[in-house]
Amino acid sequence: MAIRFARLEDIPTLIEIVRAYHSESRFKVYDYDLEKLTASLKALIEDATGTRCFFVADDKEQKPYGVLLGHIESYFFSNLPVAQTILFWVHPEHRGGSAAVKLVTAFKKWAENRNAFEIAIGVNSAVHVNRAERFFKKLGFQLTGGNYSYMVMARK
């Protein structure tokens, strides 16, 4: 298992990863727009600003099975840079291994190299929230709040 930056040739596999994430998470009630997803993945991979990262965990055949997308920006009231996750997900068949720890470690190093003041990881998928809390606390993160949502136009 290796951690590396995503590449354009990964897009077909990444589409399947996001599809699996989408179907497992609370976001399954959202439409799944393949065209938008493909364009978004391409833009994230090709981003040259240094403010976004896209890590993948590979299996032995160099096929991604876990992802961590992040970005760095400041809060509206401060100029201090904060690294935040956009998506963090490991395929269920690979959970409990070292991929999640290695993805977070890569993200931490990436953030430190950009002089981040803080690293903030959100859990808004509603997937294994209690396990996620234990996992992040073991890695030294503090629980600082929660994610709440209210579905205005819930779909069936």
Side-chain angles (χ1 to χ4, degrees), residues 27-112:
F27 298 112
K28 62 185 159 222
V29 298
Y30 284 73
D31 63 327
Y32 182 88
D33 186 328
L34 180 59
E35 187 174 314
K36 180 176 184 178
L37 173 61
T38 303
S40 296
L41 292 171
K42 185 176 186 301
L44 285 162
I45 292 168
E46 292 181 328
D47 183 82
T49 65
T51 61
R52 293 187 177 97
C53 64
F54 194 155
F55 294 106
V56 297
D58 275 343
D59 63 15
K60 292 177 183 175
E61 288 78 39
Q62 295 189 340
K63 182 179 176 186
Y65 63 85
V67 296
L68 191 151
L69 287 76
H71 64 109
I72 191 162
E73 59 184 46
S74 60
Y75 291 124
F76 69 95
F77 54 81
S78 174
N79 292 313
L80 294 172
V82 178
Q84 300 179 22
T85 52
I86 298 168
L87 171 64
F88 176 44
W89 190 80
V90 175
H91 193 281
E93 292 175 4
H94 296 276
R95 291 180 188 155
S98 63
V101 172
K102 289 183 177 185
L103 284 165
V104 172
T105 300
F107 183 54
K108 286 171 74 174
K109 287 179 185 175
W110 178 86
E112 290 166 1

Side-chain angles (χ1 to χ4, degrees), residues 6-36:
R7 299 183 292 247
L8 290 175
E9 59 265 24
D10 295 323
I11 288 178
T13 302
L14 295 171
I15 287 169
E16 292 309 311
I17 286 173
V18 175
R19 185 183 310 275
Y21 165 78
H22 178 265
S23 67
E24 178 184 31
S25 74
R26 71 178 189 88
F27 298 112
K28 62 185 159 222
V29 298
Y30 284 73
D31 63 327
Y32 182 88
D33 186 328
L34 180 59
E35 187 174 314
K36 180 176 184 178

